[in-house]
Structure formats: C-alpha cells, structure tokens
Amino acid sequence: MADQADTATPAPLGPGSLTWRFFGDTRLLLAGPRAAVLQNMLPALGQGVFEHSVFFKETFARLKRSAGPILNTVYGGDRAAETGRKVRDYHLEIKGTMPDGSRYHALDPETYYWAHATFVDHMLYAVETFIRPLSDAEKRQIYEESKVWFRMYGVSTRAMPEDWEAFRTYWKRMLDETLVPHKTARYGVGYVTKGLPRPARIPAPLWRAVSPPLNAVARFITVGGLPPRARELLDLPWSAADERRHRRFAAAVRAAGRLWPLLPEAVRYLPPARRAFRRARAERRAARREPAR
C-alpha cells in the first residue's frame, strides 16, 4: 500500500442510515452489472482481474462470492470492520505488471477506492432510476455514509474525495479521462452482442429455444444501466428508441413502488440486509424489555 491506512475504525452503519435502507434493495439489481463493468474499465483493476481472478472461468460464481462480503461490510454490525478487513486481505497478492511496464497492486489507494466508488454510484443511480428521486441532502448523507463504509476496509483513504461535491468532480473525471475499454470489461459484456453462454446443465436444443428472450433482457438491463460514456468506450449498441424504452421501464418500476412495501421482505431485500434487519428488530425488542434503572 502506498501509505498507511486509517487506524481508527468508525462505528458501523445501522438502521438509521440511508445506505441500510437502499443498498440491499433487490431493485438495485435492475441496474445490471453497472458497478462490475465500470470497475474493470480502470486499467489497473481490469488487469488485476484478468491475471488473478476466476472471472473468465466462473463469471457468475465470482460475482456471487464478491457480493456477499461487500454487503456484509455494510450490514455486518459489530462484525462489519472484521468483514471489511477480510475483503481487503483477499487483495493482498493481487499485483503485477501492466502492459506498459508499470506496476499495479489491488491495494493501491486509487485502485481500491475506485472499486468502492462504483458501488456508491451504482446505489445512487439505481435508487434514482428505479425507486425515487433523492434530494441533495440525501445524496450528501449517502456519500458521508459511504466514507464510513470505506473505512471499514482498513485501507488508505488518500484517494477518497472529501465531500459530495468532490466526489461528483472525481466521478466525472474518471469517466471522461481515466477509464478505458479494457479487455476484462469487454469480456464481461460480450454476451450483449454474442448472447449468454449456455449453462452446462441445459441441453443445447432447450437453450436455443429459451435463450433469445433471455439475451434480449440481459442486453437491455446491461447496456441500459451503463453511463453513456461507458457505452461509447465499449462500443455497445444503444439507440434513441432503446433509451426511450428504458426510461418507460424505469418509470413503470417507480410507479409500482407503491405496492413494494406489501411484498415479503424476502422479495424486497437481499439476504445480508434481511439478517441485519432481523438483528436490529431483536435488539429493539430486547431494549424495550430491559427494566429501567
């Protein structure tokens, strides 16, 4: 690491945070692999995945393994910092040489922070697109909470923008000046034009019958969820008609949000969030039963 990590661990995020309310919401899945694609467009991060990850052999398994610890860093309560440091330690040996001869390491502050920033952006984008608009105050709050979340990893905060305005400037600069169509990112979205790979357990004739609609949905969700600049760099087809359809789709999801609270929590939230909510409810019940002193 280029400089020392913060030594003080902040209190974990909890039920009063907007991040708890939104990060585990299953509607965020409608933004597709936005965070993963943008991560791999940073040259050093894309190279690290290319050289060290099982991403190319077990794409979905790798995404599943990564998502759980990240969610538990948000929803882990007293164990959030422990989980965050385990996530950090997964990256200790991810290092190597770039094609231009420069060195990279997954724990370089700029590289590690970019991965975190894409999750923050993913949440903000998905909430405003599929749930509801956020006020400026809410965006500031979510960003401040993201700083607490990032400190759970026990890494350098050198690259972390100071406030919401600085983060917006940072994000624009990264999109406009830093990201590239790295081969890892291109591979990750290859199914947009080539179709999803056939799962080994599904017979080829059956896959030929069911894959066309699945490919259409995967393309729509993936490309529609990316920033225009990323689509441009990756040469992903997206027409004005596609954009209009995506906006209508997002509006329909937002409108259906009136019924969302009526659905079971198992539908509305991912497992780490549900476990955290159950734990918080149990703690509130225990606090009410505790006699006053």
Side-chain angles (χ1 to χ4, degrees), residues 251-269:
V253 174
R254 291 195 302 272
R258 293 190 296 269
L259 303 175
W260 192 249
L262 303 178
L263 297 175
E265 194 171 84
V267 173
R268 292 182 289 121
Y269 284 97

Side-chain angles (χ1 to χ4, degrees), residues 34 40 55 80 95 97 138 182 186 190 193 202 216 260 270 287:
R34 178 183 175 103
N40 290 329
F55 178 74
K95 55 188 175 181
T97 303
E138 286 176 321
H182 194 278
R186 286 190 179 278
T193 55
I202 298 182
W260 192 249
L270 297 170

Side-chain angles (χ1 to χ4, degrees), residues 48-112:
V49 172
F50 179 75
E51 294 185 347
H52 294 273
S53 177
V54 298
F55 178 74
F56 295 94
K57 293 182 180 179
E58 306 173 40
T59 302
F60 295 107
R62 187 258 183 185
L63 293 174
K64 184 177 179 180
R65 285 197 297 270
S66 298
I70 298 296
L71 283 158
N72 285 327
T73 304
V74 170
Y75 291 106
D78 293 340
R79 301 190 65 179
E82 177 186 347
T83 302
R85 282 160 171 74
K86 287 181 180 178
V87 172
R88 174 201 63 195
D89 291 347
Y90 295 156
H91 299 83
L92 287 172
E93 299 304 319
I94 301 178
K95 55 188 175 181
T97 303
M98 297 291 291
D100 65 2
S102 62
R103 301 286 296 172
Y104 73 84
H105 195 298
L107 292 181
D108 286 340
E110 290 78 9
T111 302
Y112 202 87

Side-chain angles (χ1 to χ4, degrees), residues 59-276:
T59 302
F60 295 107
R62 187 258 183 185
L63 293 174
K64 184 177 179 180
R65 285 197 297 270
S66 298
I70 298 296
L71 283 158
N72 285 327
T73 304
V74 170
Y75 291 106
D78 293 340
R79 301 190 65 179
E82 177 186 347
T83 302
R85 282 160 171 74
K86 287 181 180 178
V87 172
R88 174 201 63 195
D89 291 347
Y90 295 156
H91 299 83
L92 287 172
E93 299 304 319
I94 301 178
K95 55 188 175 181
T97 303
M98 297 291 291
D100 65 2
S102 62
R103 301 286 296 172
Y104 73 84
H105 195 298
L107 292 181
D108 286 340
E110 290 78 9
T111 302
Y112 202 87
Y113 184 75
W114 172 246
H116 176 72
T118 64
F119 290 120
V120 179
D121 161 81
H122 187 113
M123 176 168 53
L124 290 166
Y125 167 80
V127 169
E128 291 218 291
T129 303
F130 298 110
I131 300 178
R132 65 169 175 81
L134 293 167
S135 69
D136 190 63
E138 286 176 321
K139 292 175 186 175
R140 292 174 187 275
Q141 179 180 337
I142 288 172
Y143 182 67
E144 289 302 314
E145 291 169 2
S146 81
K147 292 164 65 176
V148 176
W149 167 13
F150 187 66
R151 289 190 172 98
M152 294 294 168
Y153 297 116
V155 299
S156 168
T157 60
R158 186 185 73 195
M160 184 170 68
E162 179 64 26
D163 53 29
W164 169 240
E165 287 78 12
F167 180 80
R168 292 176 63 188
T169 300
Y170 162 83
W171 187 260
K172 185 177 186 305
R173 175 176 57 80
M174 294 296 288
L175 287 181
D176 292 346
E177 302 175 13
T178 308
L179 301 190
V180 301
H182 194 278
K183 53 190 170 185
T184 303
R186 286 190 179 278
Y187 174 87
V189 296
Y191 59 84
V192 167
T193 55
K194 299 176 182 178
L196 293 165
R198 178 176 65 88
R201 295 182 179 181
I202 298 182
L206 176 60
W207 184 246
R208 284 195 294 271
V210 302
S211 61
L214 294 178
N215 288 333
V217 170
R219 174 190 176 276
F220 184 74
I221 293 294
T222 297
V223 186
L226 289 174
R229 176 61 176 161
R231 295 179 201 143
E232 175 188 349
L233 288 170
L234 294 170
D235 296 320
L236 295 176
W238 190 252
S239 67
D242 289 329
E243 182 64 24
R244 289 192 295 271
R245 283 192 290 270
H246 194 270
R247 290 183 180 183
R248 289 196 296 268
F249 168 63
V253 174
R254 291 195 302 272
R258 293 190 296 269
L259 303 175
W260 192 249
L262 303 178
L263 297 175
E265 194 171 84
V267 173
R268 292 182 289 121
Y269 284 97
L270 297 170
R274 299 200 305 269
R275 289 193 293 269

